[in-house]
Amino acid sequence: MKMLSTLQTPRSTLSRFSLPSTFTSHSHSPTLPQPSLTTPTSPPQSQILSIRHSLLTRNLSAVDLARSYLTRLRLTEPHLRSFLHLPDDQTILSRAHEIDRRIAAGEDPGPLAGVLVAVKDNICTADMPSTGGSRILEGYRPPFDATAVKRVKELGGIVVGKTNMDEFGMGSTTEASAFQVTANPWDVSRVPGGSSGGSAAAVSARQCVVSLGSDTGGSVRQPASFCGVVGLKPTYGRVSRFGLMAYASSLDAIGCFGSSVADTGILLHAIAGHDRFDATSSKQEVPNFLSHFDLVSSLESKPLKGLRVGLIRETIEDGVDAGVVSAIRAAASHFEELGCSVNEVSLPSFSLGLPAYYILALSESSSNLSRYDGIRYGNQVYADELDSLYGDSRSKGLGSEVKMRILMGTYALSAGYYDAYYKRAQQVRTIIKNSFKEALDQNDILISPAAPSAAYKIGEKKKDPLAMYAGDIMTVNVNLAGLPALVLPCGFIESGPAGLPVGLQLIGAAFDEGELLRVGHIFEQTLENGRFVPPIVADSVE
């Protein structure tokens, strides 16, 4: 097994390629056959584009590719427990065979053809269970696919399975799952983060190519940091929430995981756009997120010259691990080397975000989860009286973390406390939005750690929920403001068998995902010692 020193070779740069027209105008229907990608002059950074090139040039079949990933998945899954539901191998191979058939017939198989995509268990899938990590929905099979899943399938993606998560998205470690605890691929004694820990671990361990998660207060970005992968939380409304089990409806967003910025951008492009089934989805045009992914060596010596970067001062002060601060400051220095002007900016309202977030999120969850009562939704416990049926079904079906959050949310909304808690939290939310707007008027992007520490030990914070909640301080403000944020690995701290990754968070203006992806891609490609492959798969990943 390779150790840290052998994992630190710089990443290869992404070759300039001609994009299929699928990505030049936004569409969610497979397009007619288009010219294949030009032959890369160096290994492409994007696994998705590399897969497409290999399939269209007949250097690789979709069936062989699927078998390769399934082999790695079966070998690593007993150690990681990333997935709650996996179809049998033959189901996946039959879908791969259909892709090979379409290619042989001269048809365009779609921009995600052959790409194995994992889906968080709170995103509905018609062909496998969707339980939200909860016993109350154990065995539930939705009659439809979430819009994001439907779009992935339409573009040729293969759903490889449903990933483990904290029950209904309530947690930061994936330990609150009702079924199992997922381990971090960098050190199986540590958590992968949460609530989308299974999706992050699956990408990190190369059990799939990309994955979908959900982000209510950092549930994509924090596990991306812990697992050393790229995680993107889009602008609120950029991606349809239809088919996402609601936790806090004004904060929830479906997000993307990938092993590179390019893969994350391709996946976002596939699922973004207005959806008539979601009244909160935006009609804002979806740009071609790949249009700026050029070969880094073809750019000028200062490819980000003139970019104004604001380092949020409150995110590198007391309470943040020294190793994390050191990695973020090194990332800021790298931005300066790329031509950026980097200045510390103060957001005085930053510390107010955590209490405001938990009041709002828990209040909304107490309303959203009232539907799981054994009558409308959820497994039913037999009882002689209706009140007992409700109470027993919820008591036995819901976990302790979910019950606690429902009670806290109900309290905040109760008569006599609404103005003191919920109304005031909404006022704080407006202050935070304005604070971010002012900072982004003066800076093109803001940067911060994605979490105040690297991944911690399984069980370390389970008995101290306040300490676990405090770990969300870097991410919750972004959800309150409805902004996009990209997390990508920027360094390591010394710990575990091969060090632990540290994630850098890039925050942009609303609907400015394209700029975040452009900046993140250049940062990623020029970062020295930036190969983030965990030891559990290092020997099998080039």
Side-chain angles (χ1 to χ4, degrees):
M1 187 170 292
K2 299 180 181 178
M3 300 305 289
L4 181 60
S5 60
T6 61
L7 294 177
Q8 298 299 299
T9 55
R11 287 177 167 182
S12 58
T13 56
L14 178 63
S15 303
R16 184 172 181 83
F17 42 76
S18 59
L19 294 171
S21 65
T22 311
F23 288 109
T24 59
S25 61
H26 194 254
S27 171
H28 292 297
S29 299
T31 57
L32 295 174
Q34 300 293 336
S36 64
L37 300 175
T38 58
T39 302
T41 58
S42 64
Q45 181 58 37
S46 167
Q47 290 188 65
I48 293 176
L49 292 174
S50 179
I51 288 169
R52 179 174 173 82
H53 171 75
S54 297
L55 293 180
L56 295 183
T57 57
R58 312 293 178 86
N59 290 328
L60 180 69
S61 72
V63 169
D64 287 342
L65 178 71
R67 283 199 180 107
S68 175
Y69 272 96
L70 289 172
T71 297
R72 183 182 294 128
L73 191 156
R74 301 301 180 189
L75 288 173
T76 55
E77 185 58 13
H79 307 286
L80 299 180
R81 302 175 297 281
S82 304
F83 288 88
L84 288 178
H85 315 293
L86 287 165
D88 62 86
D89 289 3
Q90 192 54 47
T91 299
I92 294 173
L93 293 175
S94 65
R95 291 169 184 165
H97 178 75
E98 174 61 19
I99 291 170
D100 288 333
R101 185 203 63 76
R102 294 185 63 186
I103 293 173
E107 302 174 15
D108 185 351
L112 296 182
V115 174
L116 268 62
V117 184
V119 176
K120 189 176 179 180
D121 198 39
N122 62 345
I123 302 173
C124 289
T125 49
D127 52 357
M128 64 183 75
S130 302
T131 67
S134 179
R135 292 286 182 190
I136 203 165
L137 286 178
E138 188 171 9
Y140 172 64
R141 287 178 176 264
F144 63 95
D145 283 327
T147 296
V149 173
K150 180 182 178 183
R151 290 175 174 176
V152 164
K153 290 181 176 179
E154 287 175 347
L155 297 180
I158 301 174
V159 176
V160 69
K162 304 299 291 294
T163 55
N164 194 26
M165 58 177 287
D166 289 300
E167 186 177 7
F168 288 114
M170 299 183 183
S172 302
T173 64
T174 315
E175 293 173 288
S177 168
F179 302 103
Q180 61 192 30
V181 176
T182 297
N184 191 312
W186 289 88
D187 181 350
V188 295
S189 69
R190 296 178 183 270
V191 300
S195 62
S196 307
S199 290
V203 171
S204 178
R206 309 311 195 259
Q207 296 176 315
C208 59
V209 181
V210 290
S211 65
L212 295 178
S214 66
D215 192 310
T216 305
S219 290
V220 164
R221 290 160 289 152
Q222 183 249 32
S225 177
F226 280 12
C227 292
V229 297
V230 179
L232 175 63
K233 179 258 172 202
T235 306
Y236 184 81
R238 173 66 89 185
V239 176
S240 171
R241 291 184 297 113
F242 180 74
L244 172 66
M245 298 176 188
Y247 167 13
S249 302
S250 72
L251 302 166
D252 294 340
I254 291 180
C256 309
F257 291 98
S259 59
S260 70
V261 172
D263 282 342
T264 309
I266 293 171
L267 182 59
L268 175 63
H269 189 278
I271 65 174
H274 178 67
D275 176 24
R276 65 187 180 90
F277 295 115
D278 177 9
T280 65
S281 71
S282 172
K283 294 183 179 180
Q284 186 96 4
E285 181 182 356
V286 179
N288 176 8
F289 294 128
L290 299 184
S291 61
H292 299 296
F293 289 174
D294 294 329
L295 180 66
V296 172
S297 61
S298 70
L299 302 175
E300 58 185 49
S301 60
K302 302 286 186 181
L304 294 179
K305 184 177 180 180
L307 190 78
R308 299 168 300 169
V309 176
L311 173 57
I312 302 174
R313 183 179 303 146
E314 287 78 6
T315 66
I316 52 173
E317 295 180 335
D318 293 344
V320 183
D321 286 2
V324 171
V325 174
S326 177
I328 299 303
R329 289 200 179 278
S333 296
H334 185 56
F335 273 121
E336 290 179 330
E337 294 170 358
L338 295 172
C340 303
S341 60
V342 180
N343 298 289
E344 287 191 15
V345 297
S346 178
L347 274 65
S349 62
F350 195 87
S351 63
L352 302 177
L354 195 65
Y357 164 80
Y358 272 102
I359 289 172
L360 295 174
L362 272 52
S363 296
E364 292 184 30
S365 73
S366 72
S367 175
N368 279 325
L369 268 66
S370 65
R371 71 192 69 178
Y372 302 108
D373 55 14
I375 299 273
R376 290 170 292 180
Y377 291 93
N379 295 319
Q380 187 179 102
V381 172
Y382 175 80
D384 293 327
E385 298 181 354
L386 186 61
D387 285 348
S388 297
L389 186 152
Y390 284 145
D392 291 349
S393 295
R394 289 170 68 80
S395 176
K396 295 179 180 179
L398 299 175
S400 58
E401 181 68 27
V402 172
K403 292 175 187 174
M404 180 172 65
R405 295 195 185 202
I406 289 173
L407 289 171
M408 292 169 66
T410 303
Y411 178 83
L413 292 174
S414 60
Y417 296 100
Y418 178 90
D419 287 348
Y421 293 105
Y422 187 80
K423 183 178 179 180
R424 184 168 295 182
Q426 290 285 27
Q427 292 169 337
V428 170
R429 184 177 192 169
T430 301
I431 293 171
I432 290 170
K433 284 183 178 180
N434 293 336
S435 179
F436 270 108
K437 184 180 184 304
E438 291 175 7
L440 287 167
D441 284 342
Q442 301 298 319
N443 298 275
D444 297 302
I445 64 170
L446 303 176
I447 62 173
S448 76
S453 70
Y456 39 84
K457 294 282 189 180
I458 292 173
E460 183 177 331
K461 298 191 177 183
K462 196 170 184 180
K463 295 182 180 179
D464 188 359
L466 292 180
M468 184 180 70
Y469 297 165
D472 296 335
I473 192 169
M474 304 296 180
T475 53
V476 294
N477 287 277
V478 174
N479 296 78
L480 291 170
L483 299 177
L486 176 73
V487 167
L488 67 161
C490 66
F492 294 91
I493 65 169
E494 293 185 9
S495 186
L500 295 174
V502 174
L504 171 70
Q505 178 174 227
L506 281 60
I507 304 167
F511 298 103
D512 206 11
E513 291 90 352
E515 179 67 358
L516 291 181
L517 291 165
R518 180 185 78 88
V519 173
H521 170 71
I522 292 175
F523 179 94
E524 171 188 70
Q525 298 300 309
T526 56
L527 182 66
E528 293 184 3
N529 303 326
R531 183 164 168 76
F532 294 90
V533 180
I536 197 169
V537 293
D539 289 328
S540 61
V541 176
E542 294 182 358

